[in-house]
Amino acid sequence: MRTDPLRELDRLPQQLLGTTARPAAMPMDAYRHEGALLVHLDLPGIDPEPIDLNVEQNVLTVKAERSAQETKDADMFLAERPHGIFNREVFLGETLDVDHIEASYDAGVLTMRIPVAEAKARKIEISHGGSEKRKSPAEPGTAQRGSP
């Protein structure tokens, strides 16, 4: 197999920035289904044990690493598979329940299920300018005790 060193230099921007067919970041699908947001990230060839998932202030961070293949005694002809540390941040809306995120990894795809939080209405009491609570006025036609 022949290689062209200048062609490899032309490929450098594609490897760093990615292309439409092969982006440098983790490709992702996200959609709402049955009361939850489902997020799928492609992480082929990555061991699931060291995948790091964190949520802080409604930002979900995914960090994964793919090690380079050992090629000490080999002549490399082509190296297109990306390796190194991959990061992805997903900004989550306020309506998601980040305390109950579930994650699974199968066939190179990391799937996260983030439930939509239940909207809970609550009664808000209105305070008055004075420190005493206002009493409701007497019904018309009824006398109050101590009234003239």
Side-chain angles (χ1 to χ4, degrees):
M1 181 176 225
R2 291 181 10 198
T3 60
D4 180 5
L6 295 178
R7 184 169 184 231
E8 295 304 316
L9 284 176
D10 287 341
R11 286 186 180 180
L12 187 61
Q14 292 176 358
Q15 291 173 349
L16 294 176
L17 303 174
T19 64
T20 310
R22 197 176 122 242
M26 300 172 215
M28 178 177 76
D29 290 338
Y31 54 93
R32 188 173 176 166
H33 180 68
E34 295 180 356
L37 175 70
L38 294 171
V39 179
H40 302 285
L41 288 165
D42 284 349
L43 299 170
I46 293 179
D47 181 23
E49 284 299 316
I51 295 175
D52 189 23
L53 292 175
N54 288 308
V55 176
E56 187 175 335
Q57 296 180 356
N58 284 3
V59 178
L60 174 67
T61 304
V62 181
K63 183 178 178 182
E65 182 174 1
R66 181 183 308 143
S67 301
Q69 227 175 339
E70 291 292 322
T71 56
K72 289 180 184 176
D73 298 331
D75 292 329
M76 181 65 76
F77 293 116
L78 188 61
E80 292 183 343
R81 296 179 354 162
H83 62 273
I85 297 174
F86 301 90
N87 287 303
R88 184 79 189 241
E89 288 185 341
V90 180
F91 295 89
L92 304 174
E94 296 290 325
T95 60
L96 297 174
D97 186 358
V98 296
D99 293 327
H100 295 97
I101 296 175
E102 299 170 2
S104 63
Y105 183 83
D106 185 39
V109 178
L110 176 66
T111 299
M112 291 161 287
R113 184 183 183 283
I114 309 165
V116 174
E118 294 179 21
K120 296 180 182 177
R122 64 181 182 98
K123 181 75 175 166
I124 301 172
E125 190 174 319
I126 301 171
S127 64
H128 301 277
S131 60
E132 292 182 24
K133 284 189 175 180
R134 243 173 48 183
K135 295 181 181 179
S136 59
E139 302 239 352
T142 61
Q144 292 182 334
R145 284 189 173 185
S147 298

